[in-house]
Amino acid sequence: MGIGGLGMRSAAYRDAYWREAVMSVKARRVIPIHWDDFFIPSDGPMKPMPIPLDRFSESMAFLRERSTLDKVILQMPAQWDAMDPWQGLPAR
């Protein structure tokens, strides 16, 4: 789920985005992407985009709250490691 700039949006926008991007497809896991600062070299640890471009802490607070309420797994991506986003999810 692309969350770049989400912290700068209104609560109504974030709620609508969650409904459309997560609930409408019955997602069981959300992996936030496009939140990192692409102005720094990519060979080090990922860092959030700074204010005034985004409010990463607000984005993450929203995602933690909604994922808990809707019983969706919230997982941060592993840096530069291949990952299976379906690993560990129950079979349908």
Side-chain angles (χ1 to χ4, degrees):
M1 178 178 185
I3 66 163
L6 191 61
M8 304 298 284
R9 301 293 190 143
S10 69
Y13 178 94
R14 290 191 294 255
D15 286 337
Y17 186 49
W18 179 268
R19 278 193 313 275
E20 292 176 25
V22 178
M23 301 310 293
S24 69
V25 299
K26 298 180 177 143
R28 296 179 287 165
R29 179 175 298 182
V30 168
I31 301 170
I33 60 171
H34 301 305
W35 56 267
D36 54 309
D37 186 343
F38 53 83
F39 294 109
I40 61 173
S42 60
D43 59 352
M46 295 170 77
K47 294 182 181 176
M49 187 65 72
I51 294 173
L53 300 174
D54 199 0
R55 290 187 182 110
F56 180 71
S57 60
E58 288 185 32
S59 298
M60 290 308 297
F62 169 77
L63 293 176
R64 284 187 199 101
E65 179 183 341
R66 289 306 299 262
S67 63
T68 300
L69 286 172
D70 295 327
K71 296 181 172 76
V72 174
I73 297 167
L74 178 62
Q75 178 181 341
M76 294 304 287
Q79 185 169 339
W80 310 124
D81 292 334
M83 61 183 287
D84 178 356
W86 292 276
Q87 180 182 16
L89 292 175
R92 287 192 180 225

